[in-house]
Amino acid sequence: MAELAALDDPKARAVNERHGDDHGVNLGKLRAIAKRLKTQQELAVELWATGDTAARLLALLICRPKAFTRDELDAMLREARAPKVHDWLVNYVVKKNPHAEELRLAWSADPDPVVAGAGWALTTERVAKKPEGLDLAGLLDVIEARLKDAPDRLQWAMNHCLAQIGIEHPELRARAIGIGERLEVLKDYPTSPGCTSPYAPVWINELVRRREGA
């Protein structure tokens, strides 16, 4: 904790706080600490319990993803309000845990939009890697009905799922693009040079173009 405190940069903290993340530790330096510590599940649990955002990010890098129970992961997600902690928890831990599918189903139906966003992130992962058994047309129905008015973080996760369906499944591509064009979600999102717009029609077409050109 002392080492993390010493790495806290006020300028980095100011930038991160604009995105809802209350820490000022350079993520490259954080990863270097994790590389030195290697996997330490007990330490990870202790770091998480501090409630400190930088400590929790470090915990997620040194934990054993498969060691957590379903209820532990559910509680951790509901505690993880900082966006970066939320994203790392889902991507680095939950996706590698045997309870991921059970949590995907539970979280997707949760009334808390941040929790539901985690469910949609797990659904996007399945769309890309294991779509068997998913009702993709049904997912598009839900996205079409709810995307426009969804709270920011849930909207972002649902929009990613929309784009992923369009990218991965040619038979649904025209419908996914059509939904994006009608709803215009994230159409005017500022995008840095060299980055792909999160506006689904642009995102889908660009990723498909890259794949087909490869």
Side-chain angles (χ1 to χ4, degrees):
M1 292 303 293
E3 187 174 355
L4 290 174
L7 290 172
D8 195 276
D9 178 353
K11 290 182 180 177
R13 178 176 283 273
V15 171
N16 288 333
E17 283 179 345
R18 290 204 291 271
H19 302 287
D21 289 307
D22 56 341
H23 77 95
V25 180
N26 177 279
L27 296 181
K29 293 178 179 176
L30 196 74
R31 291 182 187 278
I33 296 173
K35 190 174 181 180
R36 186 184 80 224
L37 292 172
K38 299 186 172 63
T39 302
Q40 296 192 45
Q41 178 67 10
E42 289 184 13
L43 177 58
V45 171
E46 290 178 22
L47 287 169
W48 183 272
T50 67
D52 178 79
T53 294
R56 285 185 162 181
L57 290 172
L58 181 58
L60 296 171
L61 293 174
I62 67 169
C63 72
R64 283 200 310 276
K66 293 179 181 178
F68 294 105
T69 67
R70 178 203 183 284
D71 289 346
E72 284 172 337
L73 290 175
D74 184 70
M76 289 167 72
L77 186 84
R78 294 174 193 280
E79 294 171 5
R81 307 317 284 184
K84 183 67 70 177
V85 175
H86 181 273
D87 290 345
W88 281 21
L89 175 61
V90 172
N91 288 300
Y92 296 170
V93 181
V94 179
K95 285 181 181 180
K96 300 174 184 177
N97 184 276
H99 300 288
E101 178 62 13
E102 188 182 348
L103 289 168
R104 180 186 77 83
L105 294 169
W107 288 345
S108 296
D110 199 277
D112 182 330
V114 176
V115 175
W120 278 93
L122 294 172
T123 298
T124 301
E125 174 88 350
R126 272 205 59 188
V127 167
K129 296 185 177 179
K130 193 181 176 184
E132 298 79 19
L134 285 179
D135 178 6
L136 297 174
L139 287 174
L140 289 178
D141 289 342
V142 175
I143 291 168
E144 190 166 23
R146 301 181 187 172
L147 179 64
K148 185 80 171 178
D149 298 319
D152 287 352
R153 284 165 67 183
L154 175 56
Q155 184 183 71
W156 190 271
M158 294 177 76
N159 184 72
H160 189 180
C161 191
L162 171 65
Q164 203 71 49
I165 291 171
I167 292 162
E168 303 289 345
H169 301 278
E171 73 281 6
L172 294 170
R173 188 169 296 150
R175 185 180 173 204
I177 290 172
I179 290 170
E181 288 174 343
R182 281 194 301 281
L183 299 183
E184 298 188 335
V185 168
L186 300 175
K187 185 176 182 178
D188 300 319
Y189 191 85
T191 306
S192 303
C195 296
T196 303
S197 169
Y199 175 49
V202 173
W203 192 351
I204 293 167
N205 286 322
E206 176 62 18
L207 268 289
V208 171
R209 182 189 66 78
R210 288 184 200 172
R211 288 186 182 185
E212 293 179 347

